[in-house]
RNA sequence: GCGCCCGUAGCUCAGCUGGAUAGAGCGCGAGACUUCUAAUCUUGAGGUCGCAGGUUCGACCCCUGCCGGGCGCGCCA
């Protein structure tokens, strides 16, 4: 076995080999599509250790019936030494039972590989660019950014673990109107810093206190040079410095969550380099951009709507309601116009793109995917481009919705939440829900009711294991695989669940769903807790059985490996595996 | 009006890309702490998988149409 490290992967190979053998024998016609052949543990473990639907999936295209094919397949599979029984069940499932020794081999593999157990070559070194957060650089991170940040970060780590080369990228929107508003807001604080009474910050500017310090630095740098100068004099330098200061703040906030991007790409630099022009020229040459006039938007009336001719991307060709402008009437780029060039730029350096977006931008998915598909195809090869939409988090405090508005300066910052709740709780909580489902984050609940929180349940399992290993060491027992054949049925159940870790990683990575790791860990922790409690009533089932050094060594070995699995899984989620609670 | 997401136990949610008798936590009922940490465990009750059709050996999962909730529908970002 070349891939002796993961039992499930090995058996996927065994099934394939068995099918090859049937082809060679003429039982099965060659070239059947096996994409739907699955090898997985049955839901009900009484059915066996592994099940495959191969006979049912292939019977029809092979022109035979499931039963007959299953019997032929069973004939092949029973030749394997690890297979203790192969039974046909239901409409044509094949249920396999695997010898205990194979599971013990897997347990040794966990020990041998340690932190690398579960690592996969699935990605075969493909370069994947994961873009996440990309919050406008106009203030500190708030809770609205949190979920996408955590999901994106965990996904990036997961993809790396599954054999991809990952770039974690943050797109800095430093070219739009919002950064001018930032610069104006800072200018007001700048005048204030120089002793002027500016009164309340006017509507439409950012009122946040976090601008005070930036303004003071500007006052120190420029003195009163710009207090009454025209905006055209100071807008650019103020904008540059304010954005830089905001990014420092944002990076610090992200660091609190353990998030670090590899690359911060500037929209302003992209535009300065003429990338959007290049994209526009190509799109025009291929009749994907034309000059046209938009219809007035439906569903809501805009008083000052007037039809204007603009360069439009033909997104209606790709299922969008409307063609979309890439430039404004003043000739500057729309967000979309710059964004398509940005994605094209990313695609030149990567094999695949993944974006994590908030649900409020879901309406723009079609146009950007269409534009990027056209551009990358035009450049020679279409690059896979996925956009994962992360739904809104409703922030609650004692059941009451917390209203957030950046304009009023009234928002819950990420830093506050991390400080109050802790990084591990925030991260794990954000990952115990599939991202496309809306979620409530009740402040009071997450803070106070720690025992309801899955993260503690999982961490507790790890802490228990570590504690046991410490106790064992004190009593002179070390984990050892010398006598692991003495592990019984209950221990094997634990190993079987643990052995699913590698295939779980691959499935989660393929689906781009890091939350599956969190749910798996919860299940594994539950199995560990259940096993532990057997020892309450039956001291002979405890990890440490003082009078039996061999058995104790074997059980501690098992405990150590389960602890390793939990640690590996938590590492993917960016959550600490604690030594004690 | 249109697009995207969601709808699974009283509540909060999983459901491994179409598999076998749909699962877990909380809550409710009954139990287990002179212990390797009870932040745990065991056990019971609780379901028309929003509704109606369709596709096939088989549907919570795919397709169509409704119903309900969320997000969005400027040359904003």
């Amino acid at each position: 076995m070349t891939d002796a490290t993961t039992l499930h992967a090995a058996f996927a190979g065994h099934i394939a080999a068995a099918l090859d053998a049937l082809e060679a024998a003429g039982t099965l016609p060659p070239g059947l599509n096996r994409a739907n052949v699955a090898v997985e543990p049955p839901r009900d473990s009484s059915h066996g250790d592994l099940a495959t639907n191969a006979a049912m999936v292939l019977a029809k295209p092979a022109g035979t019936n499931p039963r007959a094919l299953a019997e032929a397949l069973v004939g092949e599979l029973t030749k394997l030494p690890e297979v203790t029984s192969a039974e046909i069940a239901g409409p044509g499932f094949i249920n396999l039972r695997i010898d205990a020794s194979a599971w013990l081999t897997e347990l040794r593999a966990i020990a041998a590989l340690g932190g690398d157990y579960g690592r996969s070559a699935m990605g075969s070194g493909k370069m994947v660019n994961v873009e996440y957060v990309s919050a406008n650089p106009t203030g500190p991170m708030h809770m609205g950014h949190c979920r996408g940040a955590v999901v994106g970060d965990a996904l990036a780590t997961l993809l790396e673990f599954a054999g991809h080369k990952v770039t974690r990228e943050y797109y800095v929107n430093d070219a739009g109107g919002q950064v001018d508003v930032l610069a104006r807001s800072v200018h007001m604080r700048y005048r204030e810093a120089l002793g002027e009474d500016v009164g309340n910050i006017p509507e439409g500017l950012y009122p946040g206190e976090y601008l005070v310090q930036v303004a003071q630095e500007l006052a120190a740098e420029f003195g009163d040079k710009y207090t009454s100068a025209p905006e055209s004099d100071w807008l650019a330098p103020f904008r540059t410095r304010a954005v830089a200061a905001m990014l420092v703040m944002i990076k610090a906030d992200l660091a609190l969550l353990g998030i670090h991007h590899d690359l911060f790409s500037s929209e302003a630099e992209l535009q300065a380099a003429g990338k959007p022009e290049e994209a526009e020229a190509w799109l025009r040459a291929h009749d994907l951009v034309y000059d046209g006039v938009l219809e007035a938007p439906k569903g809501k009336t805009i008083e000052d709507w007037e039809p204007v001719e603009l360069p439009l991307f033909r997104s209606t060709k790709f299922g969008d309601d409307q063609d979309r402008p890439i430039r404004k009437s003043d000739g500057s780029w729309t967000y979309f116009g710059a964004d398509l060039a940005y994605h094209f730029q990313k695609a030149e350096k990567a094999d695949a793109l993944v974006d994590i977006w908030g649900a409020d931008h879901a309406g723009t998915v079609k146009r950007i995917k269409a534009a990027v598909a056209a551009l990358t195809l035009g450049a020679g090869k279409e690059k896979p481009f996925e956009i994962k939409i992360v739904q809104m988090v409703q922030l609650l405090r004692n059941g009451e919705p917390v209203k957030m508005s950046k304009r009023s300066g009234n928002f819950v910052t990420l830093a506050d939440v991390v400080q109050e709740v802790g990084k591990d709780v925030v991260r794990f909580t954000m990952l115990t829900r599939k991202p496309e489902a809306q979620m409530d984050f009740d402040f009071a609940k997450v803070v106070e009711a720690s025992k309801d929180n899955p993260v503690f349940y999982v961490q507790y399992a790890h802490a228990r294991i570590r504690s046991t290993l410490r106790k064992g060491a004190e009593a002179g027992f070390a984990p050892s695989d010398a006598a692991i054949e003495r592990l019984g049925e209950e221990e094997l159940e634990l190993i079987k669940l643990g052995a699913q870790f590698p295939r779980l990683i691959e499935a989660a990575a393929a689906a781009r769903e890091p939350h599956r790791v969190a749910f798996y860990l919860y299940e594994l922790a539950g199995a560990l807790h259940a096993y532990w409690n057997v020892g309450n009533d039956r001291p002979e089932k405890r990890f440490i059985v003082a009078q039996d050094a061999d058995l104790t060594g074997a059980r501690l070995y098992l405990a150590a490996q389960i602890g390793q699995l939990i640690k590996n899984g938590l590492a993917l989620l960016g959550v600490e595996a604690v030594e004690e609670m």
Side-chain angles (χ1 to χ4, degrees), chain A residues 120-128 159-165 351 506:
Chain A
S120 163
M122 184 186 86
S124 58
K126 285 217 166 66
M127 313 267 288
V128 181
L159 289 175
E160 253 167 13
F161 201 62
H164 304 81
K165 287 219 183 325
D351 297 311
E506 295 194 346

Side-chain angles (χ1 to χ4, degrees), chain A residues 127-196:
Chain A
M127 313 267 288
V128 181
N129 181 297
V130 183
E131 185 208 324
Y132 58 107
V133 188
S134 298
N136 285 336
T138 56
M141 300 284 298
H142 57 74
M143 273 307 278
H145 302 121
C146 182
R147 192 176 185 187
V150 171
V151 169
D153 193 59
L155 176 59
T157 309
L158 175 64
L159 289 175
E160 253 167 13
F161 201 62
H164 304 81
K165 287 219 183 325
V166 174
T167 301
R168 299 151 194 257
E169 188 155 335
Y170 187 121
Y171 183 43
V172 184
N173 301 130
D174 52 1
Q178 79 285 354
V179 284
D180 291 340
V181 173
L182 174 72
R184 290 185 194 108
S185 308
V186 169
H187 186 260
M188 187 147 282
R189 293 291 190 185
Y190 158 80
R191 284 158 49 207
E192 189 177 58
L194 289 166
E196 196 175 326

Side-chain angles (χ1 to χ4, degrees), chain A residues 103 106-111 114 117 457-466 469 479 487 490-501 520-532 543 554-570 577:
Chain A
W103 296 110
E106 188 74 358
L107 188 63
R108 288 194 175 96
I110 300 173
Y117 183 78
Y457 186 81
V458 174
Q459 286 182 317
Y460 183 40
H462 185 264
R464 268 186 155 170
I465 287 169
R466 301 302 301 172
L469 291 170
L487 296 176
E490 282 132 320
E491 289 87 355
L492 281 177
E493 288 306 312
L494 213 43
I495 297 170
K496 288 173 185 177
L497 182 57
Q500 291 189 38
F501 186 64
Y520 170 78
L521 288 177
Y522 189 80
E523 192 183 347
L524 184 61
L528 185 278
H529 288 310
Y531 176 76
W532 175 286
F543 284 102
R555 291 212 180 129
L556 289 179
Y557 188 81
L558 168 67
Q561 304 334 316
I562 300 298
Q564 180 72 56
L565 286 174
I566 295 174
K567 190 173 179 181
N568 290 3
L570 286 176

